[in-house]
Amino acid sequence: MDTYKRFYLLKNIGKEKFENLRGKKILIIGAGSLGSNILLNLVRIGFKEISIVDYDVVEEENICVQEYNVDDFKEGKPKVFALKEKCEKINEEIKINAIHEEINPENIYNFLKGIDLIIDATDNFDTRFLINEISYKENIPWVHGAVIEERGEAGIFVPEKTGCYRCFLPKVPKGYMETCDIMGVHPSIIKIISGFEVYLAIKYLLGEKLPQNKIYYFDLSKFEFKELEYGKRENCPVCSKKEFPFLKGKEGFNAHALCGGGTFQIKFQKELDIEKIEKNLKDFGECVLKPYFLRFKKNTFEIMFFKDGKIFIKGKDITKEKAKFILKKYLGI
């Protein structure tokens, strides 16, 4: 028990609340900058069981801003397994359910049994909107967090008590989105947002009062902190109409295999700014920009971007899941 003494000595916690708190089960979705920091924080606090889902493996560039080391990279470990090993060295009592999968509308239900709270540590809107829908469908609160460059935001959504993420962001972003892999991220904003997400999670699990319908926004470059307020929308397809378009596959990532295998096509609802995409990708692979398309080559895959919104991604052993993973990693779509 003394391991966690500095935490349960806090006047709003104490031993009794602490024992109740550490029995709660949390699901973290994403094991990158936010997810790795969030998991290690929760482990040190003393939670007994935590699940974490992620499909990625450790890369050299992760070491700067994520909780991995050189050996994790050299061995090519999946992030969730590398984290499981670290957590078990910190807290021998803990049970880490390391799930090496790409989350989607079909499998997300498999990870929810007994879960008291979901924590968002993702880097793309498709997964975030999916988390929002499963939260309101299954009545499981979730904590949202996002970071890029020197900016970040966090907030908590509680079904039947607050509006949902789609009330805050009604229109689903389409096309190219900036990602940390391209734009970078400051380690300090990661620590702030991951820490704030953990704080919101603990406050909720302790049953303490939380501000409703607010997202907290931080911009370190401007030394700026804002509270962004939103209201519950009467026509929201999630928390008002209960339509759940992402869970039903009516919205979200849409990849179709082309004849011959190894190539997938994605079509967006608006045109792509291929000049901007080329500017952001040129340092990460070979780019060939033409008037109507951009060709990007990296390692074993190639992506063709067309101004009208079509994207072709092809390569050896490319599957729908790999195509989805590559586009999310490099383009945030």
Side-chain angles (χ1 to χ4, degrees), residues 52-64:
I52 185 163
V53 185
D54 195 289
Y55 182 67
D56 204 358
V57 298
V58 180
E59 297 184 54
E60 187 174 16
E61 62 202 42
N62 299 148
I63 297 170
C64 172

Side-chain angles (χ1 to χ4, degrees), residues 3-4 7 39-47 67 90-91:
T3 302
Y4 316 112
F7 178 67
L39 178 61
L40 292 181
N41 280 340
L42 293 174
V43 167
R44 288 189 168 96
I45 286 170
F47 282 86
E67 294 297 318
I90 295 169
N91 182 346

Side-chain angles (χ1 to χ4, degrees), residues 93-128:
E93 300 175 332
I94 193 146
K95 178 181 179 183
I96 298 293
N97 301 311
I99 305 162
H100 185 223
E101 293 188 37
E102 175 73 23
I103 205 160
N104 58 57
E106 289 74 35
N107 68 9
I108 193 169
Y109 292 94
N110 301 336
F111 316 133
L112 301 178
K113 186 176 180 181
I115 295 298
D116 296 292
L117 181 74
I118 300 169
I119 299 183
D120 160 36
T122 64
D123 58 3
N124 65 88
F125 286 104
D126 274 6
T127 308
R128 204 165 284 139

